[in-house]
Structures are given as C-alpha cells and as structure tokens.
Amino acid sequence: MYFPAYRPRRLRRTKTIRDLVSETRLSADEFIYPMFAAPGKGVREEVPSMPGIYKQSIDNIVREAREAGALGVKSVLLFGIPEHKDETGSEGYADDGIIQKTIRELRKKTPDLLVVTDVCMCEYTSHGHCGIIRGGDVDNDETLEYLAKMAVSHAEAGADIIAPSDMMDGRVGVIREALDDAGFEKVPIMSYSAKYASGFYGPFRDAAESPPRFGDRRSYQMDPPNVREALREIALDIEEGADIVMVKPALSYLDVISAAREEFDHPLAAYNVSGEYSMVKAAGRLGWIDEKLVMMEILTSIKRAGADIIITYHAKEAAEVLRGRGK
Ligand code: PBG
C-alpha cells in the first residue's frame, strides 16, 4: 500500500496553516473580568493568593475597567467588599452599598462597559453563608426575598446583567419576577446554574473575605461527582427564565460544560475560578510552567468544551496575548 495518503502533519507545518484550520478561536469579546470593589479612596490592595488581582476602591475600579476596555475586554463582573457585615447582609441591598455605588460610577465614567453583578449574600453576611441562617442551616425560601431585593437594587443602580451565585432553589424565578415587577424586564439573568462546592474557591474567599464562619456550603452548592444533576439544575433555571446559564468551576468540570453544551441551546458561561488562576500564577512564579502558554491552553480548553462566555481573572493578560502583544 502507498505510504500514508493522509499525513496530518501537513496541516501543522506553519503557524499560518495551523491558524487556518484551527477549530477553536478565542476572542476578548467573550471574556468577563471579575473585580473586587472595596470602600475608601485610593485603595488598591493585591490579593496575596491572586497576583495581579486587587481589592480596590471605586476610583481604581474605574481606572482598571478603562484599562480592560482598552485591551478589548468589554465586560466586568463585580463583587463587593462591604464596610460592615451583619446577619442579613443588609449592605448587599442598600441603595448606598459598595456595589450600588460602584455600578453608578461605572455607568457614568465607562458607559460602554457591560456591568455584570454577582448576587449572593456571602460577602455581606457576618456568618459568611450565602443566605439567612435558621437552625444552623441556610433557609432557602427566606433567602429568596433578600436575593430579589439585592437583584433589584443592582438593576436600579444600572447593572446590565444580574448573576445570582447563591444556589438557592427557585431563585431565578423569584429574581425574574422581582425584576419584572420593578420595571427591569429588559435586564437579563446569567445564572450560576451548576455551581459546585469546590476547593477551588479558596483564593476568592480570601479576596472577598467571605469564608463561612461555621460549616461549609455543601448543603446548597453541588456535589462534585454529579453531572446529570447539573443538567437538571440548568433545565430548572431555563424554565425559571435564565438567559445565560453557567458551569462553575471550569477546569475540573469540562465534562459538565460539554454535556450542557450538547443538551441546551442557551448561551453557556464557564467560570475559570480563583483557585484555577492561582495555581497557574504560583507555578509560573516558580518557573515550573510557561504561564502564558498554560493560560491560553486552559482558556482554549474551556472554549473547546463548549463555553460561549469565559469569566476569568486572566481576561486582560489573555486579551494582550490575543492582540499579539503579550508574548
Ligand atoms: C459567591 C461567589 C463565590 C465565587 C463567586 N461567587 C464564592 C463561593 O461560592 O464561595 C467564587 C469565585 C472564584 O473562586 O473565583 N457565592
């Protein structure tokens, strides 16, 4: 027989050929950059476990959001670190809360930026759980009212997309109804539909100062071994009116992203979470991996698995690489 008629290496010969036949392409358009808003002025404090990521006051959030925009990253996801925490996380839905003030300022100073807000109580509660505590556990139905209030207050401040991350049952429906009743029927919901109880959130909890003071989040976040359950969660959120659904974390859950892509037509987001970022940064600093190469490979794998939208702390750096300036 004639020696291989088909030689796969022909299409790998030069970068131009490889680019021509590339099956997966990344673009900064699909990145969302998470940011942490803190009280004060002139504050810019690096998160020790997340090099390059800062807790910062509103003036600096605006500055960095502009910088991200200039690199082609058009969307941010905001988290708030409140001045004061209490049992019901009241700063989370206060009109003059840290997030509400940040949204207003971004609206004014960066009108083209897409502002997505995380709706969850854990950053605002003194016990660090994602809802109201009754009898040692988070009370689902009581929490829903608070989440709805928080979502409406974000929309009132000018949020473009509301992203509930609490994992209470029924929250998408309740938030949708509250938004509609308040006249925000045009504001989409991006639901953290399949959010797992993950060790990869560790660095985020340092940043947001939100580790639970007792117990863990396993009574509301999903159990890592389950994938069929993730599809049920996503189906429920879609029924309740979610516009975009999400799988979180991304890297250990690529199979979940892929299964969700197969089953649903809705836009699908994946959250490349804090621990995934920190591992790349740490190994990069030690000189054990080529950080940029690994970053792009990870983001490509998330896209290849089926995500349309990638929420990532690497957004700015990856956008630079995509523009050919980062490397
Ligand atoms: C709030 C929330 C968390 C993250 C996003 N929203 C933390 C948690 O559930 O403990 C994690 C993000 C990350 O690790 O980058 N509930």
Side-chain angles (χ1 to χ4, degrees), residues 116-131:
V116 187
T117 58
D118 186 88
V119 168
C120 188
M121 297 178 67
C122 64
E123 295 121 77
Y124 303 95
T125 51
S126 42
H127 44 73
H129 276 287
C130 302

Side-chain angles (χ1 to χ4, degrees), residues 252-265:
S252 288
Y253 299 85
L254 293 175
D255 57 326
V256 182
I257 296 173
S258 161
R261 172 75 300 151
E262 288 278 305
E263 185 114 348
F264 303 103
D265 288 333

Side-chain angles (χ1 to χ4, degrees), residues 35-69:
M35 302 183 87
F36 299 96
K41 230 181 160 266
V43 178
R44 185 164 157 84
E45 189 190 326
E46 193 168 26
V47 180
S49 51
M50 301 176 74
I53 300 297
Y54 298 82
K55 300 191 231 188
Q56 49 196 348
S57 48
I58 299 175
D59 48 336
N60 281 319
I61 291 268
V62 169
R63 199 187 47 71
E64 201 188 349
R66 282 192 174 128
E67 195 182 295

Side-chain angles (χ1 to χ4, degrees), residues 29-108:
D29 289 344
E30 62 215 7
F31 295 156
I32 301 180
Y33 184 54
M35 302 183 87
F36 299 96
K41 230 181 160 266
V43 178
R44 185 164 157 84
E45 189 190 326
E46 193 168 26
V47 180
S49 51
M50 301 176 74
I53 300 297
Y54 298 82
K55 300 191 231 188
Q56 49 196 348
S57 48
I58 299 175
D59 48 336
N60 281 319
I61 291 268
V62 169
R63 199 187 47 71
E64 201 188 349
R66 282 192 174 128
E67 195 182 295
L71 292 168
V73 178
K74 301 164 183 168
S75 308
V76 298
L77 172 61
L78 294 181
F79 295 96
I81 301 157
E83 200 120 30
H84 125 105
K85 305 193 186 217
D86 58 27
E87 284 285 305
T88 63
S90 56
E91 199 179 319
Y93 47 86
D95 189 47
D96 61 350
I98 179 73
I99 277 294
Q100 290 77 0
K101 286 196 283 199
T102 309
I103 300 166
R104 284 203 189 88
E105 198 62 13
L106 285 172
R107 267 287 75 89
K108 235 188 298 168

Side-chain angles (χ1 to χ4, degrees), residues 5 13 27 48 66 143 165 193 200 215 256 268 270 273 278 284 295 301:
R13 205 174 46 83
S27 152
R66 282 192 174 128
T143 300
S165 71
S193 306
F200 287 99
V256 182
L268 178 63
V273 300
S278 300
M295 165 181 80
S301 73

Side-chain angles (χ1 to χ4, degrees), residues 63-204:
R63 199 187 47 71
E64 201 188 349
R66 282 192 174 128
E67 195 182 295
L71 292 168
V73 178
K74 301 164 183 168
S75 308
V76 298
L77 172 61
L78 294 181
F79 295 96
I81 301 157
E83 200 120 30
H84 125 105
K85 305 193 186 217
D86 58 27
E87 284 285 305
T88 63
S90 56
E91 199 179 319
Y93 47 86
D95 189 47
D96 61 350
I98 179 73
I99 277 294
Q100 290 77 0
K101 286 196 283 199
T102 309
I103 300 166
R104 284 203 189 88
E105 198 62 13
L106 285 172
R107 267 287 75 89
K108 235 188 298 168
K109 304 267 175 65
T110 56
D112 296 333
L113 186 78
L114 189 89
V115 177
V116 187
T117 58
D118 186 88
V119 168
C120 188
M121 297 178 67
C122 64
E123 295 121 77
Y124 303 95
T125 51
S126 42
H127 44 73
H129 276 287
C130 302
I132 303 294
I133 301 290
R134 295 283 172 232
D137 193 14
V138 175
D139 186 281
N140 194 87
D141 298 7
E142 198 176 340
T143 300
L144 296 179
E145 299 164 38
Y146 287 91
L147 295 170
K149 269 204 278 195
M150 195 183 277
V152 170
S153 80
H154 290 185
E156 277 168 351
D160 290 300
I161 297 182
I162 302 295
S165 71
D166 53 282
M167 286 305 275
M168 296 304 120
D169 295 334
R171 92 273 209 204
V172 172
V174 169
I175 290 173
R176 183 71 272 160
E177 199 179 327
L179 287 173
D180 290 358
D181 286 350
F184 297 111
E185 68 282 348
K186 290 187 187 139
V187 174
I189 296 177
M190 174 168 79
S191 177
Y192 289 68
S193 306
K195 175 174 175 181
Y196 288 86
S198 170
F200 287 99
Y201 307 151
F204 172 95

